Amino acid sequence: MARQDRSRTASAAPRTNLLALDEPALERFVKDLGWPAFRARQILRWLYQERVREIARMTDLSKAERARLSGIAAIERIADCEVRRSDDGTRKLLLRLEDGLVIESVLIPDADRLTLCLSTQVGCTLDCGFCLTGQMGLKRNLAAHEIIEQALAAQDRLEPGERLTNIVLMGMGEPLANFEAVADAVARLTNPRWGFGISARRITLSTAGLASRLAEVAGLGVNLAVSLNATTDAQRTRLMPAVNRLHPLARLLAACRAYPLPPHRKLTFEYVLLAGENDSEQDAKRLAKLLHGIRCKVNLIPFNPFPGSPYRRPADADVLRFQSVLRQAGFDVLIRKSKGRDVLGACGQLGELVTPRRS
Ligand code: SAH
């Protein structure tokens, strides 16, 4: 059937996926049709604010314009989306991409917030041993529209009265290893005229520490979180080999100190607590020293296990002791509640369950 369809349209040029065009590209597309520039913004609004799946529904275009557009373009939304709901209200969305690969996003309700955690790669460039995604290797980068599809799919599935308030680029992948697509996705998320209209202040990008690219994040206006996770190079190379070889601690922290932080904003440092690895009082004291003088807050993330993972979650008392050392040193320290653990939707639990590369 599919083959017949293809042969019937074989002579026609393939239709452009409107979602694959950023604003300037859509402006050019519209211009090539001889249409006024404002048509681009109308179309973008249908795509991201109304989330239509058919060009026929773009009712501020004339019937003739819609017919013409339908002949050369399409809205290729992903139809295959499975939702897994956790007992705590967290929802994990599994989206099957065109090439069959699956990515995951997580909707996390919490008091007055509804946070959406987006993936930026299928698998990950990096190889952090405590992260399930890191065990998958990199399958490929996501295109901007595949990052945005996660937000569209989540919006489509919000419950009555729910509204997305925050976005974190903390799902599968290393966002700074796919910066161009991430920047394009952020533009669509923040644009108030036709996009999602989410303020850049409510978006946080988390990096494992690609020091040389931190400054580019500042240009996006979003918040920056850095996954430090260790207090010596020996320890960090053991836990996060690829990234720490490229950007050792001293270099990473120098880049953090040089980060052009806007007034009233803070950097976030994430620190995954692994029992017996990096959770001692010594570690907490060293961490306080490393971060001394940086305007920041610290998010402690007790390890979330996944099948086959070699690490353990510390006892609550050890987590609290770690927090109190940092607090005494004057830091603003939160312990991240890891929601959605029963559906493998918490930090570090996204990805295919395969035999870990290293045991
Ligand atoms: N690559 C980016 C974003 C994805 S990871 C980064 O490294 O920041 C998002 C956060 O989850 C990071 O802070 C990471 O250190 C943390 N994390 C990874 N695996 C985890 C696990 N198993 N338990 C708890 N946190 C984990």
Side-chain angles (χ1 to χ4, degrees):
M1 185 62 201
R3 184 165 293 164
Q4 272 174 12
D5 280 345
R6 217 173 292 138
S7 62
R8 216 185 308 130
T9 54
S11 54
R15 289 191 295 173
T16 301
N17 179 9
L18 293 175
L19 293 165
L21 304 179
D22 61 10
E23 186 179 24
L26 189 67
E27 278 167 357
R28 283 193 300 275
F29 187 84
V30 157
K31 195 168 171 224
D32 289 346
L33 291 174
W35 291 356
F38 68 83
R39 287 273 178 270
R41 245 156 353 259
Q42 286 176 311
I43 294 171
L44 289 165
R45 206 179 51 74
W46 285 110
L47 295 177
Y48 302 110
Q49 293 186 346
E50 303 298 330
R51 301 191 307 284
V52 300
R53 289 164 184 264
E54 289 127 38
I55 289 169
R57 288 196 48 203
M58 299 183 172
T59 47
D60 53 7
L61 270 60
S62 71
K63 277 212 167 127
E65 284 169 331
R66 280 179 264 164
R68 186 164 172 218
L69 192 58
S70 301
I72 53 170
I75 303 170
E76 289 173 19
R77 289 286 309 275
I78 291 174
D80 190 344
C81 175
E82 184 192 327
V83 183
R84 293 197 193 144
R85 176 180 278 273
S86 157
D87 294 338
D88 63 23
T90 302
R91 281 155 276 164
K92 174 156 112 165
L93 274 56
L94 294 105
L95 288 165
R96 188 174 297 277
L97 306 173
E98 227 179 9
D99 55 6
L101 293 171
V102 175
I103 51 168
E104 303 178 12
S105 332
V106 190
L107 262 173
I108 312 152
D110 189 21
D112 52 351
R113 285 189 182 190
L114 181 60
T115 302
L116 176 63
C117 178
L118 299 177
S119 293
T120 56
Q121 297 184 309
V122 191
C124 186
T125 307
L126 303 174
D127 57 358
C128 307
F130 49 82
C131 176
L132 177 56
T133 313
Q135 311 295 297
M136 287 173 64
L138 177 68
K139 301 271 156 69
R140 67 175 174 84
N141 275 334
L142 291 180
H145 71 273
E146 292 171 322
I147 300 175
I148 281 299
E149 175 67 46
Q150 301 168 63
L152 291 168
Q155 285 274 19
D156 283 344
R157 286 165 183 79
L158 293 184
E159 286 160 13
E162 276 189 332
R163 193 176 60 84
L164 276 185
T165 61
N166 295 71
I167 302 271
V168 292
L169 294 154
M170 287 188 194
M172 301 167 80
E174 168 49 48
L176 295 190
N178 186 18
F179 186 78
E180 240 175 79
V182 166
D184 180 348
V186 166
R188 301 185 205 194
L189 289 171
T190 51
N191 190 292
R193 283 171 304 143
W194 52 261
F196 287 78
I198 297 172
S199 157
R201 293 172 156 272
R202 292 182 167 271
I203 300 178
T204 301
L205 181 154
S206 176
T207 176
L210 297 190
S212 55
R213 311 212 66 166
L214 294 194
E216 294 174 63
V217 179
L220 302 180
V222 302
N223 301 300
L224 175 63
V226 176
S227 302
L228 207 58
N229 300 341
T231 55
T232 66
D233 273 319
Q235 193 183 48
R236 199 164 193 269
T237 300
R238 201 161 58 237
L239 300 175
M240 311 171 75
V243 71
N244 204 57
R245 276 195 204 108
L246 279 171
H247 308 278
L249 267 181
R251 221 168 103 203
L252 174 57
L253 287 163
C256 292
R257 286 179 195 281
Y259 188 78
L261 202 55
H264 311 301
R265 292 232 225 162
K266 289 179 174 178
L267 282 179
T268 299
F269 287 97
E270 293 154 292
Y271 193 97
V272 181
L273 285 166
L274 307 164
E277 285 285 335
N278 65 355
D279 64 340
S280 71
E281 203 165 332
Q282 285 312 317
D283 283 302
K285 286 181 177 157
R286 268 198 301 266
L287 184 57
K289 260 200 193 135
L290 287 175
L291 302 183
H292 182 77
I294 303 181
R295 193 157 19 106
C296 67
K297 53 190 175 191
V298 179
N299 268 352
L300 300 176
I301 320 175
F303 175 63
N304 296 308
F306 49 86
S309 59
Y311 298 104
R312 279 179 308 116
R313 189 181 177 89
D316 289 350
D318 294 338
V319 175
L320 292 172
R321 182 195 54 193
F322 201 95
Q323 180 185 40
S324 95
V325 171
L326 287 165
R327 281 205 167 144
Q328 273 160 28
F331 289 94
D332 179 2
V333 195
L334 280 180
I335 298 169
R336 189 179 293 170
K337 279 184 273 175
S338 290
K339 298 190 116 200
R341 278 197 280 158
D342 53 340
V343 291
L344 286 182
C347 301
Q349 295 185 316
L350 305 184
E352 273 166 27
L353 283 172
V354 287
T355 320
R357 278 196 298 219
R358 280 158 286 118
S359 62

